[in-house]
Amino acid sequence: MRPPHPGGDGGLPASLPMGTADVAYHLAMGGRPLPAGFLFGFSGPAPTLDSVRARVAERAPRIPALRYRIDRRSRTFSRVGRIDVEQHVHEAWLPGDDDGSGAGRLMLSRPMGGDTRPPWDVWLVHGPTGGHSLCYRTDHTFQDGVGAAHTARALLDDDPGGGPPPHRRGRPALGGLAGAVGDVAASFRRSDKPAFDVPLGGRTDMCQAVVPVARLRAVGRAHGATVNDVFLAALAHAVGTWHRKSTGSAHPPLPVAVPMSVRGPGEEYAPGNRLVVARVLLPCDAPSPQHALRRVVARTGSLRTGRQRDALRLLLMAGPRAVGARVGTRMVNGRSVAGPVSSVNFGSALVHRGNAARRAVVYSGLGAGIRCLTTLTSQHDTACLAVIHDEALHTAGELPGLWLAALLELERP
């Protein structure tokens, strides 16, 4: 669904049914919004609120994902007639936000608008010493991370275009079908994840670390791995070290949910979630980051060769939407996984009014008993690791530093 030409609805239907993943988020959250989106950090003078509103007013009517609201009772998305920019674009000041994580915490904590209007907003957040952030926020029931990336670029970038590549669908192999069935079956068993099985505190915190993408790529080339493999292996070792520091014992392999986009060509700006999740056991018990990386590469390699992404898409669409949604709520739930672990490559840096963002962060709130969500967002030459966690994980702020330490070990010959 590409942006229609300016000057009308461009043939947008009056309503669209929620997809399987949308209903899964709706059920998991009990109808409550789950904030998700992108945060872009800038240095230099901030734009004015009026100028941001002017761009949003110009762009938003042409972006289909911004033209719909959630009708939770009928489980549909309903098109709105007009967009009131003042209800969608806001401003805040965080003079003590030295590393940009405060803007993320603000986006996770501020209430979202009701269901009478489209579930998105844009924030201009002023930080210290002239730094500022532009934040695009939506409801995860309505949009996934890749969709949010395309929408944020179309809405805010001086020269919109590019973004994450579309998924090219293919026929899954038998191994992929078997893996998909195995993942679904495993989601019905309670898993062993002692570092994360703590009573929920109810409040959400966020911490992060920034590294050059070149470092991740260099490690990947040296070990025959992808940037995502390096991210997962370093995270596995970080969690193992973190748990060992507090208990003195090794952590068993940690089940996490890895989202995979199935957003195809022409669907860049379509509302709704177009994703599936694979269950991956992070080798937190590996004796070194190098051992962890070898095990991660073997697992992700089987996901790719078996085309498990396509197998999961077909499996969840094979039956009634309600059944597929119920399965989805089991696969991303605090009983079966520690939480989602997501990697998004935003592409070239977002440029707003001639100023290029220094970093980008994809974020989401927590729900369904999840204690922790970890994301890696690449933009141009910079990658940002973000750990979004329940306050009950008191020492989770150590994880970004431990992840950097694991990456440093992976760089050693």
Side-chain angles (χ1 to χ4, degrees), residues 96-382:
D97 184 21
D98 293 329
D99 65 354
S101 60
R105 287 191 288 271
L106 178 69
M107 294 301 98
L108 293 168
S109 63
R110 287 297 293 260
M112 299 191 68
D115 293 339
T116 58
R117 64 172 179 83
W120 61 269
D121 49 30
V122 171
W123 286 78
L124 169 61
V125 182
H126 300 269
T129 62
H132 63 280
S133 300
L134 284 173
C135 309
Y136 168 72
R137 188 173 68 155
T138 185
D139 185 342
H140 216 325
T141 299
F142 185 76
Q143 196 171 45
D144 56 65
V146 170
H150 286 292
T151 299
R153 190 180 290 279
L155 188 62
L156 298 171
D157 204 305
D158 287 356
D159 185 18
H167 173 61
R168 305 287 179 177
R169 294 172 183 169
R171 185 187 299 274
L174 287 176
L177 291 168
V181 172
D183 281 2
V184 172
S187 70
F188 285 83
R189 300 191 296 268
R190 189 176 185 89
S191 58
D192 186 19
K193 43 189 187 324
F196 298 89
D197 284 337
V198 297
L200 283 167
R203 296 182 61 183
T204 304
D205 204 351
M206 180 177 177
C207 50
Q208 60 189 40
V210 177
V211 297
V213 174
R215 290 182 61 187
L216 301 171
R217 289 175 178 160
V219 171
R221 284 194 300 269
H223 294 272
T226 66
V227 166
N228 188 57
D229 293 335
V230 176
F231 159 51
L232 295 176
L235 180 61
H237 192 72
V239 170
T241 303
W242 176 56
H243 183 68
R244 194 175 296 108
K245 284 176 61 179
S246 61
T247 66
S249 59
H251 196 286
L254 181 70
V256 296
V258 176
M260 299 183 293
S261 175
V262 293
R263 192 172 287 268
E267 297 178 336
E268 291 87 349
Y269 309 102
N273 287 268
R274 283 162 167 76
L275 58 80
V276 295
V277 294
R279 180 185 175 91
V280 171
L281 291 176
L282 293 184
C284 302
D285 57 340
S288 70
Q290 288 80 6
H291 284 83
L293 184 54
R294 285 196 288 270
R295 287 165 62 178
V296 166
V297 168
R299 171 60 173 144
T300 60
S302 68
L303 291 176
R304 286 190 293 271
T305 57
R307 298 194 68 93
Q308 189 166 324
R309 181 185 319 216
D310 292 293
L312 284 163
R313 181 181 63 85
L314 294 175
L315 182 64
L316 293 176
M317 293 176 59
R321 180 183 64 170
V323 173
R326 288 290 180 186
V327 171
T329 63
R330 300 293 308 210
M331 295 183 73
V332 189
N333 188 285
R335 292 186 299 272
S336 59
V337 295
V341 176
S342 178
S343 176
V344 176
N345 184 357
F346 186 75
S348 60
L350 184 136
V351 180
H352 186 84
R353 306 291 183 186
N355 192 3
R358 295 180 290 109
R359 70 180 186 282
V361 184
V362 64
Y363 64 89
S364 172
L366 305 176
I370 295 295
R371 272 73 167 175
C372 188
L373 160 71
T374 310
T375 67
L376 183 77
T377 313
S378 302
Q379 180 200 244
H380 184 46
D381 58 359
T382 302

Side-chain angles (χ1 to χ4, degrees), residues 57-78:
E58 174 196 359
R59 302 275 186 87
R62 295 178 286 171
I63 303 172
L66 303 182
R67 296 293 310 279
Y68 288 86
R69 65 177 182 85
I70 301 175
D71 190 334
R72 299 184 189 271
R73 183 174 300 178
S74 64
R75 296 184 181 178
T76 60
F77 301 136
S78 300

